[in-house]
Amino acid sequence: MTTLFSIAVIYITNMCLVFGGLFNAALYKPAILSSNHVLYTADLANDGSNETDIFSMHCAHSAEDNPGWWMVDLRGLYKVEQIVLVNRGDDYDGSLRTKNFQFDVFETDPRLSRDFPMVSGQVCYTRVEPVGQGATLTKNCTAPIVGRFVRFIRCCYHSEQ
């Protein structure tokens, strides 16, 4: 079975004591996909747009990878407290593509592991059920996690939290 996913935007928020509120720590940071489908590259998922139509060029889309994943380098250690995912809204089966996934956080680049992508960081959130078409999913990590790399991965080897 192959996994194909597309997402409109991902925010990684963190409590910033200087500003006293949540901010999007992933905004415009370097991102990478397991593969690109056409022109829908990883950086489109954290470009700050909430547009859910893939043709707006604000959605990342992988090819058929198993497992498919997206990852952002926050370029420093952050206390990750919340994940916001905006699902693609123009695709009739988009809710079926964005299911059975987890967000995990790593202090160092997990791609350096010989077992990547089948390594797990500290899990912020796991979901089995589909995310609705065009829906915004906002989830707090079970506890704040300090890390530099945040990954969305389609998987089937972790239980729901």
Side-chain angles (χ1 to χ4, degrees):
M1 182 177 119
T2 58
T3 56
L4 180 79
F5 70 89
S6 60
I7 45 183
V9 64
I10 294 180
Y11 298 98
I12 311 302
T13 60
N14 120 294
M15 184 59 74
C16 178
L17 299 176
V18 175
F19 298 108
L22 294 177
F23 78 102
N24 183 356
L27 186 63
Y28 305 123
K29 300 288 177 51
I32 187 168
L33 270 169
S34 51
S35 65
N36 293 322
H37 178 70
V38 194
L39 301 174
Y40 307 111
T41 56
D43 59 312
L44 298 175
N46 60 325
D47 68 357
S49 173
N50 286 338
E51 179 60 54
T52 63
D53 184 329
I54 197 164
F55 299 110
S56 70
M57 297 304 295
H58 293 287
C59 299
H61 195 314
S62 75
E64 296 184 9
D65 302 321
N66 192 13
W69 54 271
W70 174 91
M71 187 168 62
V72 63
D73 179 354
L74 300 177
R75 301 295 235 192
L77 293 176
Y78 285 83
K79 183 170 63 170
V80 178
E81 295 182 290
Q82 186 180 77
I83 303 289
V84 179
L85 180 144
V86 179
N87 197 23
R88 182 175 162 190
D90 64 289
D91 187 11
Y92 70 92
D93 67 347
S95 64
L96 299 177
R97 293 181 188 197
T98 310
K99 68 175 185 176
N100 200 22
F101 64 88
Q102 81 175 23
F103 279 98
D104 50 4
V105 181
F106 301 84
E107 286 191 23
T108 60
D109 191 338
R111 294 172 296 167
L112 301 176
S113 169
R114 63 183 166 93
D115 296 325
F116 186 82
M118 305 310 282
V119 296
S120 184
Q122 294 183 61
V123 177
C124 172
Y125 176 71
T126 300
R127 184 179 180 104
V128 176
E129 300 86 20
V131 176
Q133 184 175 341
T136 299
L137 176 72
T138 302
K139 291 295 179 179
N140 292 327
C141 300
T142 51
I145 303 169
V146 174
R148 175 176 170 172
F149 296 87
V150 179
R151 179 181 66 172
F152 166 97
I153 185 167
R154 287 284 308 268
C155 59
C156 51
Y157 50 90
H158 293 282
S159 61
E160 183 179 4
Q161 292 184 352

